[in-house]
Amino acid sequence: MKQSLLIIVNLIYLTGYCQYPFEELPQPVYEEFNNWTETKQQENYTITIDNFFETESLTIQLTSYTDDVDQESSIRIFRGKTQIQKLSEDMFFSTLNIFEPIRITDFNADNLKDIKLLIPYMGNGIAALNVRVIYLIQNKNKGFSKISYDDMMDGNREERDFNKDGIFETITMKLDHYENNNYWTFNIFEFTELGLTNANEKNNYPIMTQYLYKKNFKVSNKISHSKMKTYALEKPKDYNWQK
């Protein structure tokens, strides 16, 4: 009897009942690359993807510089051997946090490849979930718009297509406190020509799940949805958009 019950529990888990509501929706298919190389003398971290621009390669170079006064980071983008962009980024790149693969897909359904980078902050405890999310959304002129923000996640949280129009939305997570309990709050943002735009109202979000010392995917019934809306974000934390 105990063995049968265990089998049923495992089947429920494997068939997707232990999911957040958005995890039932369509998700992107990524190409993933993780062949980062490091130039220690210059604190550069470089990755090259062959034939990204049809017959030309894409190279991304992450560089950080710091002294007693300033800290500066940049993202350089090369088409073939020609640098086409240099974008600033408020995140320090180091040997410790450059290990996630670069993920490539078309997030906004314009038939151009886009890029996603995850850079962990390398904290402890719950702070270990803190990451910098960086999107490089390709424009028609083959340049990129940069979208970046702080988030909390364990590994990569896939984007989802909420209205099934082929354009994916990104979901952010933060920890909030309400009446002696802590909750994970999930907001939705869509990719537009002006960066990220909040899409909560279109999809009846945000939602909140109670923070427990075990996995909990259930939207809380201890908070009214009108109260959940007061925890909505207009933009993700430390949001930055550059064209």
Side-chain angles (χ1 to χ4, degrees):
M1 182 66 180
K2 289 182 178 180
Q3 186 175 6
S4 298
L5 181 61
L6 180 61
I7 291 172
I8 292 172
V9 170
N10 285 335
L11 283 173
I12 290 174
Y13 182 85
L14 291 172
T15 52
Y17 287 95
C18 294
Q19 292 181 317
Y20 294 113
F22 53 79
E23 291 182 311
E24 299 175 359
L25 300 171
Q27 65 189 74
V29 176
Y30 304 109
E31 292 181 89
E32 295 190 354
F33 301 87
N34 205 15
N35 54 325
W36 290 99
T37 60
E38 177 185 1
T39 306
K40 293 185 178 180
Q41 294 84 352
Q42 298 177 328
E43 298 294 332
N44 289 333
Y45 304 90
T46 304
I47 192 167
T48 297
I49 296 113
D50 293 333
N51 302 319
F52 181 92
F53 300 105
E54 296 180 352
T55 60
E56 293 182 286
S57 64
L58 167 80
T59 296
I60 294 176
Q61 187 175 86
L62 309 179
T63 304
S64 289
Y65 166 82
T66 187
D67 59 22
D68 294 335
V69 179
D70 298 316
Q71 175 178 305
E72 179 181 333
S73 293
S74 65
I75 302 173
R76 289 182 173 87
I77 302 173
F78 297 80
R79 180 170 180 165
K81 295 184 178 181
T82 303
Q83 180 175 315
I84 60 173
Q85 271 182 294
K86 180 182 178 182
L87 301 164
S88 62
E89 175 51 47
D90 188 20
M91 179 68 190
F92 193 75
F93 304 122
S94 75
T95 304
L96 296 177
N97 63 10
I98 305 298
F99 58 82
E100 281 280 346
I102 186 172
R103 295 175 171 91
I104 297 174
T105 194
D106 180 6
F107 291 111
N108 55 355
D110 62 357
N111 296 315
L112 296 172
K113 295 178 182 179
D114 306 310
I115 297 162
K116 182 180 183 180
L117 299 169
L118 290 183
I119 313 294
Y121 278 98
M122 307 305 294
N124 296 312
I126 291 179
L129 300 177
N130 293 335
V131 300
R132 188 73 175 167
V133 182
I134 303 171
Y135 290 102
L136 300 174
I137 304 299
Q138 189 176 176
N139 303 317
K140 291 181 180 179
N141 64 0
K142 297 299 189 291
F144 293 82
S145 296
K146 191 207 73 169
I147 295 168
S148 62
Y149 57 88
D150 286 350
D151 201 358
M152 302 182 76
M153 64 178 75
D154 181 12
N156 178 50
R157 183 184 307 114
E158 292 89 352
E159 298 71 20
R160 301 288 167 166
D161 185 356
F162 278 79
N163 57 2
K164 299 181 181 178
D165 62 353
I167 300 175
F168 293 97
E169 287 77 29
T170 187
I171 306 109
T172 66
M173 184 176 79
K174 63 188 178 85
L175 191 62
D176 288 311
H177 185 77
Y178 175 69
E179 291 190 347
N180 300 318
N181 289 302
N182 292 316
Y183 296 88
W184 294 117
T185 303
F186 297 91
N187 285 261
I188 305 171
F189 298 90
E190 58 189 1
F191 296 94
T192 73
E193 292 183 356
L194 298 176
L196 288 185
T197 301
N198 188 285
N200 282 333
E201 287 296 327
K202 295 180 181 180
N203 301 283
N204 207 26
Y205 271 63
I207 59 171
M208 300 173 74
T209 65
Q210 189 174 358
Y211 172 70
L212 302 173
Y213 292 102
K214 61 179 180 180
K215 289 285 187 180
N216 177 33
F217 302 90
K218 184 180 178 181
V219 177
S220 178
N221 58 10
K222 296 181 179 181
I223 312 175
S224 67
H225 193 69
S226 61
K227 184 63 180 179
M228 289 184 187
K229 286 186 176 182
T230 66
Y231 290 91
L233 293 174
E234 182 179 351
K235 297 290 185 184
K237 182 181 178 183
D238 291 331
Y239 172 77
N240 181 261
W241 175 61
Q242 295 177 50
K243 292 191 72 173

Coordinates of all heavy atoms in Angstrom, one line a residue, residues 123-163:
G123 N 25.3 35.1 -3.5 CA 25.0 35.3 -2.1 C 24.9 33.9 -1.4 O 25.0 32.9 -1.9
N124 N 24.5 34.0 -0.1 CA 24.3 32.9 0.7 C 22.8 32.8 1.2 O 22.1 33.8 1.3 CB 25.2 32.9 2.0 CG 26.6 32.8 1.6 OD1 27.0 31.9 0.8 ND2 27.5 33.7 2.1
G125 N 22.3 31.6 1.6 CA 21.0 31.4 2.0 C 20.0 31.8 0.9 O 20.2 31.5 -0.3
I126 N 18.9 32.6 1.3 CA 18.0 33.0 0.3 C 18.6 33.9 -0.7 O 18.3 34.0 -1.9 CB 16.8 33.7 0.9 CG1 15.9 32.7 1.7 CG2 15.9 34.4 -0.1 CD1 14.7 33.2 2.4
A127 N 19.7 34.7 -0.3 CA 20.4 35.6 -1.2 C 21.1 34.9 -2.3 O 21.5 35.5 -3.3 CB 21.4 36.4 -0.4
A128 N 21.3 33.6 -2.2 CA 21.9 32.8 -3.3 C 21.0 32.8 -4.5 O 21.4 32.4 -5.6 CB 22.1 31.4 -2.8
L129 N 19.7 33.1 -4.4 CA 18.8 33.2 -5.5 C 18.9 34.5 -6.3 O 18.4 34.6 -7.4 CB 17.3 33.1 -5.0 CG 17.0 31.8 -4.3 CD1 15.5 31.9 -3.8 CD2 17.2 30.6 -5.1
N130 N 19.6 35.5 -5.8 CA 19.7 36.8 -6.4 C 20.6 36.7 -7.7 O 21.8 36.2 -7.7 CB 20.3 37.8 -5.5 CG 19.4 38.1 -4.3 OD1 18.2 38.0 -4.4 ND2 20.0 38.6 -3.2
V131 N 20.0 37.1 -8.8 CA 20.7 37.1 -10.1 C 20.5 38.4 -10.9 O 19.5 39.1 -10.6 CB 20.3 35.9 -11.0 CG1 20.6 34.6 -10.3 CG2 18.8 36.1 -11.4
R132 N 21.4 38.7 -11.8 CA 21.2 39.8 -12.7 C 20.7 39.1 -14.0 O 21.4 38.2 -14.6 CB 22.5 40.6 -13.0 CG 22.3 41.9 -13.8 CD 21.5 42.9 -13.1 NE 21.5 44.2 -13.8 CZ 20.7 45.2 -13.5 NH1 19.9 45.1 -12.4 NH2 20.6 46.3 -14.2
V133 N 19.6 39.5 -14.6 CA 19.1 39.0 -15.8 C 19.4 40.0 -16.9 O 19.1 41.2 -16.7 CB 17.6 38.7 -15.8 CG1 17.1 38.1 -17.1 CG2 17.2 37.8 -14.6
I134 N 20.0 39.6 -18.0 CA 20.4 40.5 -19.1 C 19.8 40.0 -20.4 O 20.2 38.8 -20.8 CB 21.9 40.7 -19.2 CG1 22.5 41.2 -17.8 CG2 22.2 41.7 -20.3 CD1 24.0 41.2 -17.8
Y135 N 19.0 40.7 -21.0 CA 18.5 40.3 -22.4 C 19.2 41.3 -23.4 O 19.2 42.5 -23.2 CB 17.0 40.5 -22.5 CG 16.2 39.5 -21.7 CD1 15.6 39.8 -20.5 CD2 15.9 38.2 -22.2 CE1 14.8 38.9 -19.8 CE2 15.2 37.3 -21.5 CZ 14.6 37.7 -20.3 OH 13.8 36.8 -19.6
L136 N 19.6 40.7 -24.5 CA 20.0 41.5 -25.7 C 19.0 41.2 -26.8 O 19.1 40.1 -27.4 CB 21.5 41.1 -26.0 CG 22.5 41.3 -25.0 CD1 23.9 40.8 -25.4 CD2 22.6 42.8 -24.6
I137 N 18.2 42.1 -27.0 CA 17.1 42.0 -28.0 C 17.5 42.5 -29.3 O 17.8 43.8 -29.4 CB 15.8 42.6 -27.6 CG1 15.4 42.1 -26.2 CG2 14.7 42.4 -28.6 CD1 15.1 40.6 -26.1
Q138 N 17.6 41.7 -30.4 CA 18.2 42.1 -31.7 C 17.2 43.1 -32.4 O 16.0 42.8 -32.5 CB 18.5 40.9 -32.5 CG 19.3 41.3 -33.8 CD 19.7 40.1 -34.6 OE1 20.3 40.3 -35.7 NE2 19.5 38.9 -34.1
N139 N 17.7 44.1 -32.9 CA 17.0 45.1 -33.7 C 17.2 44.8 -35.2 O 18.1 44.1 -35.6 CB 17.4 46.5 -33.4 CG 17.2 46.8 -31.9 OD1 16.3 46.5 -31.3 ND2 18.2 47.5 -31.4
K140 N 16.3 45.4 -36.0 CA 16.4 45.1 -37.5 C 17.7 45.6 -38.1 O 18.1 45.1 -39.2 CB 15.2 45.7 -38.2 CG 13.9 45.1 -37.8 CD 12.7 45.7 -38.5 CE 11.4 45.0 -38.1 NZ 10.2 45.6 -38.7
N141 N 18.4 46.5 -37.5 CA 19.6 47.0 -38.0 C 20.8 46.2 -37.5 O 22.0 46.5 -37.7 CB 19.9 48.5 -37.6 CG 20.0 48.6 -36.1 OD1 19.9 47.7 -35.4 ND2 20.2 49.9 -35.7
K142 N 20.5 45.0 -36.9 CA 21.4 44.1 -36.4 C 22.2 44.6 -35.1 O 23.1 43.9 -34.6 CB 22.5 43.6 -37.4 CG 21.9 42.9 -38.6 CD 21.2 41.6 -38.2 CE 20.8 40.8 -39.4 NZ 19.7 41.4 -40.2
G143 N 21.8 45.7 -34.6 CA 22.2 46.1 -33.3 C 21.3 45.5 -32.2 O 20.4 44.7 -32.5
F144 N 21.5 45.8 -30.9 CA 20.8 45.2 -29.9 C 20.3 46.2 -28.9 O 21.0 47.2 -28.6 CB 21.6 44.1 -29.1 CG 22.0 42.9 -29.9 CD1 23.1 43.0 -30.8 CD2 21.3 41.8 -29.8 CE1 23.4 41.8 -31.5 CE2 21.6 40.6 -30.5 CZ 22.7 40.7 -31.4
S145 N 19.1 46.0 -28.3 CA 18.7 46.7 -27.2 C 18.9 45.9 -25.9 O 18.7 44.7 -26.0 CB 17.2 47.0 -27.2 OG 16.9 47.9 -28.3
K146 N 19.4 46.5 -24.9 CA 19.8 45.8 -23.7 C 18.7 46.0 -22.6 O 18.3 47.2 -22.3 CB 21.1 46.2 -23.1 CG 21.6 45.3 -22.0 CD 22.6 46.0 -21.0 CE 21.8 46.9 -20.1 NZ 22.6 47.4 -19.0
I147 N 18.2 44.9 -22.1 CA 17.2 45.0 -20.9 C 17.9 44.2 -19.8 O 18.3 43.1 -20.0 CB 15.9 44.3 -21.3 CG1 15.2 45.1 -22.4 CG2 15.0 44.2 -20.1 CD1 14.0 44.3 -23.0
S148 N 18.0 44.8 -18.6 CA 18.6 44.1 -17.5 C 17.9 44.5 -16.2 O 17.4 45.6 -16.1 CB 20.1 44.4 -17.4 OG 20.4 45.7 -17.2
Y149 N 17.9 43.6 -15.2 CA 17.2 43.8 -14.0 C 17.7 42.7 -13.0 O 18.2 41.7 -13.3 CB 15.7 43.8 -14.1 CG 15.1 42.6 -14.7 CD1 14.8 41.5 -13.9 CD2 14.9 42.5 -16.1 CE1 14.2 40.3 -14.5 CE2 14.4 41.3 -16.7 CZ 14.0 40.2 -15.9 OH 13.5 39.1 -16.4
D150 N 17.4 43.0 -11.7 CA 17.6 42.0 -10.6 C 16.4 41.1 -10.4 O 15.3 41.6 -10.5 CB 18.0 42.7 -9.3 CG 19.3 43.4 -9.3 OD1 20.1 43.1 -10.3 OD2 19.6 44.1 -8.4
D151 N 16.7 39.9 -10.2 CA 15.6 38.9 -10.0 C 16.1 37.9 -9.0 O 17.2 37.9 -8.5 CB 15.3 38.2 -11.3 CG 13.9 37.6 -11.3 OD1 13.2 37.7 -10.3 OD2 13.5 37.1 -12.4
M152 N 15.2 37.0 -8.6 CA 15.5 35.8 -7.8 C 15.0 34.6 -8.5 O 13.9 34.4 -8.9 CB 14.8 36.0 -6.4 CG 15.1 37.2 -5.6 SD 14.2 37.3 -4.0 CE 15.3 36.2 -3.1
M153 N 16.0 33.6 -8.6 CA 15.6 32.3 -9.2 C 16.7 31.3 -8.9 O 17.8 31.6 -8.6 CB 15.5 32.5 -10.7 CG 16.7 32.9 -11.5 SD 16.4 33.0 -13.3 CE 15.5 34.5 -13.4
D154 N 16.2 30.0 -9.0 CA 17.1 28.9 -8.8 C 17.3 28.3 -10.2 O 16.5 27.5 -10.7 CB 16.4 27.9 -7.9 CG 17.3 26.7 -7.6 OD1 18.5 26.7 -8.0 OD2 16.8 25.7 -7.0
G155 N 18.5 28.6 -10.8 CA 18.7 28.2 -12.2 C 17.9 29.2 -13.1 O 17.6 30.3 -12.8
N156 N 17.6 28.7 -14.3 CA 16.9 29.6 -15.3 C 15.4 29.4 -15.2 O 14.9 28.3 -15.2 CB 17.4 29.2 -16.7 CG 16.7 30.0 -17.8 OD1 16.6 31.2 -17.7 ND2 16.1 29.3 -18.8
R157 N 14.7 30.6 -15.1 CA 13.2 30.5 -15.2 C 12.8 30.9 -16.6 O 13.1 32.0 -17.1 CB 12.6 31.5 -14.2 CG 11.0 31.5 -14.2 CD 10.4 32.5 -13.3 NE 11.0 32.5 -12.0 CZ 11.7 33.5 -11.4 NH1 12.0 34.6 -12.1 NH2 12.2 33.3 -10.2
E158 N 12.2 29.9 -17.3 CA 11.9 30.1 -18.7 C 10.8 31.2 -18.8 O 9.9 31.3 -18.0 CB 11.4 28.8 -19.3 CG 12.5 27.7 -19.5 CD 12.6 26.9 -18.2 OE1 11.9 27.2 -17.2 OE2 13.3 25.9 -18.3
E159 N 10.8 31.9 -19.9 CA 9.7 32.8 -20.3 C 8.5 32.0 -20.7 O 8.6 30.8 -21.0 CB 10.2 33.7 -21.4 CG 11.4 34.6 -21.1 CD 12.7 33.9 -21.0 OE1 12.8 32.7 -21.5 OE2 13.6 34.4 -20.4
R160 N 7.4 32.6 -20.8 CA 6.1 31.9 -21.1 C 5.3 32.8 -22.1 O 5.4 34.0 -22.1 CB 5.3 31.6 -19.9 CG 6.0 30.7 -18.9 CD 6.2 29.3 -19.4 NE 7.1 28.5 -18.5 CZ 7.3 27.2 -18.5 NH1 6.6 26.5 -19.3 NH2 8.2 26.7 -17.7
D161 N 4.5 32.1 -22.9 CA 3.7 32.8 -23.9 C 2.3 32.8 -23.3 O 1.5 31.8 -23.5 CB 3.7 32.1 -25.2 CG 2.9 32.8 -26.3 OD1 2.3 33.8 -26.0 OD2 2.9 32.4 -27.5
F162 N 1.9 33.8 -22.6 CA 0.6 33.9 -21.9 C -0.6 33.9 -22.8 O -1.6 33.3 -22.5 CB 0.6 35.1 -20.9 CG 1.3 34.8 -19.6 CD1 2.7 34.8 -19.5 CD2 0.6 34.4 -18.5 CE1 3.4 34.6 -18.4 CE2 1.3 34.1 -17.3 CZ 2.7 34.2 -17.2
N163 N -0.5 34.7 -23.9 CA -1.7 34.8 -24.7 C -1.5 34.1 -26.0 O -2.3 34.2 -27.0 CB -2.0 36.3 -25.0 CG -0.9 37.0 -25.7 OD1 0.2 36.4 -25.9 ND2 -1.0 38.3 -25.9

